[in-house]
């Protein structure tokens, strides 16, 4: 579970998982039974928004970055820095 405030949530209708973004910059992946199955780390500040496009998750953060994730491999694919 998160150890700080959750600020964003998203449901994945493709595989019935859920994503939650927290103030510590982490994203958790949850099963339908609300069991945490993975933690994604790619932000330094709060994850304020989550958007899903097929099997790609995009996370936006207070650190000014957008991270693109592959939800199948749970790997970071791309980082867009603020400019």
């Amino acid at each position: 579970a998160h150890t700080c405030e959750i600020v964003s949530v998203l449901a994945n209708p493709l595989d019935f998982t859920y994503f939650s973004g927290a103030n510590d910059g982490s994203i958790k992946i949850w099963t339908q039974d609300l069991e945490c199955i993975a933690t994604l780390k790619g932000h330094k500040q709060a994850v304020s928004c989550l958007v899903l496009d097929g099997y790609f998750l995009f996370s936006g953060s207070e650190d000014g970055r957008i991270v693109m994730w592959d939800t199948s491999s749970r790997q970071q694919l791309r980082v867009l820095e603020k400019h």
Side-chain angles (χ1 to χ4, degrees), residues 8-14 17-21 26-30 38-41 43 47 49-60 66-80:
S8 55
V9 294
L10 177 69
N12 184 351
L14 296 175
T17 56
Y18 301 91
F19 302 93
S20 59
S26 68
I27 300 166
K28 303 272 187 191
I29 304 175
W30 306 85
T39 301
L40 307 177
K41 295 183 179 182
H43 291 288
V47 178
C49 62
L50 298 166
V51 176
L52 196 60
D53 183 12
Y55 289 98
F56 300 106
L57 174 69
F58 296 85
S59 57
I66 297 171
V67 178
M68 179 181 184
W69 305 89
D70 180 323
T71 59
S72 297
S73 67
R74 302 177 185 146
Q75 297 297 309
Q76 204 179 90
L77 299 177
R78 194 164 188 191
V79 178
L80 302 170

